[in-house]
Amino acid sequence: DAGVTQSPTHLIKTRGQQVTLRCSPISGHKSVSWYQQVLGQGPQFIFQYYEKEERGRGNFPDRFSARQFPNYSSELNVNALLLGDSALYLCASGQPNTGELFFGEGSRLTVL
Amino acid sequence: RKEVEQDPGPFNVPEGATVAFNCTYSNSASQSFFWYRQDCRKEPKLLMSVYSSGNEDGRFTAQLNRASQYISLLIRDSKLSDSATYLCVVNLLDDMRFGAGTRLTVKP
């Protein structure tokens, strides 16, 4: 079975631009979470979606938004990019009742 | 205070050593607890869940003390392949919060 897949794997943007990151969860998983990981730090929670509804939001500005589609795939959007948005963006799917997360390989965003 | 705090590390140990990682969490309502492992430039992967009674998986032993809001991971007879960053994870209402991680390097 395919694991969590993310695209693109790497991308470079300039300040002020917008970016959309995509994630497909493991088949059968209805929950998708997004995390930002800056070098040397642990993943920081951005959003969780379950059954297409936002279940949780971390301490990120409104420039960050996300949505989940009927097939449970998800997109993370970041507007008005700042240099500090450069990070690895991880998507994870899981069964909420187990608490276990399965991560994709991430999308590495560089903002110049 | 951070939600999940870990030893800052890094830990550099010889092969065969025993190494312990410590973690504390701030929200007493937290429901479940995990250790994840993250290799360099890779995604985190579940290492083991942590139960109140303590649990062991081969060379790895995890402990939870709910009263002290403290979690530990012990690695015995460490191998070169154990070199990674170990992340303490706390789950509250399906909201998984990660510590900053402790990097371990096992040397020959």
Side-chain angles (χ1 to χ4, degrees):
Chain A
D1 285 343
V4 177
T5 58
Q6 291 186 243
S7 64
T9 54
H10 295 80
L11 67 166
I12 299 173
K13 294 284 188 177
T14 57
R15 281 179 295 178
Q17 285 189 311
Q18 176 265 341
V19 67
T20 298
L21 308 177
R22 296 176 178 83
C23 172
S24 293
I26 291 172
S27 177
H29 287 186
K30 300 178 180 179
S31 173
V32 169
S33 300
W34 286 96
Y35 288 81
Q36 181 196 65
Q37 188 172 27
V38 175
L39 194 64
Q41 295 295 315
Q44 296 297 307
F45 173 71
I46 309 175
F47 286 110
Q48 187 199 30
Y49 277 79
Y50 179 72
E51 287 280 17
K52 301 180 288 294
E53 292 195 0
E54 183 182 302
R55 285 276 296 267
R57 172 185 286 254
N59 188 23
F60 280 81
D62 292 343
R63 300 184 295 107
F64 288 76
S65 63
R67 55 180 175 167
Q68 188 176 32
F69 298 100
N71 66 353
Y72 303 113
S73 67
S74 178
E75 286 183 352
L76 175 70
N77 295 285
V78 187
N79 294 321
L81 285 167
L82 303 174
L83 295 179
D85 295 332
S86 295
L88 179 68
Y89 288 85
L90 293 162
C91 173
S93 74
Q95 302 286 23
N97 58 337
T98 69
E100 180 179 353
L101 294 177
F102 298 88
F103 284 88
E105 294 187 351
S107 294
R108 190 166 297 278
L109 171 65
T110 301
V111 182
L112 302 177
Chain B
R1 183 182 173 189
K2 290 183 180 178
E3 292 173 316
V4 183
E5 294 203 59
Q6 296 187 237
D7 292 331
F11 291 2
N12 298 297
V13 303
E15 271 188 293
T18 296
V19 59
F21 301 101
N22 301 309
C23 172
T24 56
Y25 59 96
S26 61
N27 194 325
S28 60
S30 298
Q31 298 162 306
S32 52
F33 310 88
F34 306 86
W35 284 100
Y36 276 68
R37 170 192 169 129
Q38 186 171 25
D39 292 300
C40 187
R41 302 188 74 82
K42 294 285 196 178
E43 73 276 19
K45 292 183 179 179
L46 177 66
L47 177 65
M48 60 195 300
S49 301
V50 188
Y51 303 113
S52 296
S53 55
N55 48 298
E56 189 173 303
D57 181 3
R59 298 180 294 107
F60 298 82
T61 301
Q63 297 274 355
L64 166 66
N65 185 321
R66 285 189 183 267
S68 303
Q69 295 177 206
Y70 168 83
I71 306 161
S72 67
L73 175 68
L74 186 75
I75 304 177
R76 292 182 301 278
D77 188 24
S78 53
K79 312 292 185 188
L80 297 177
S81 57
D82 294 334
S83 297
T85 295
Y86 291 83
L87 298 159
C88 175
V89 185
V90 173
N91 183 21
L92 175 62
L93 299 176
D94 302 328
D95 183 353
M96 303 275 274
R97 299 299 174 113
F98 286 72
T102 304
R103 192 173 74 207
L104 170 67
T105 301
V106 181
K107 299 185 176 182

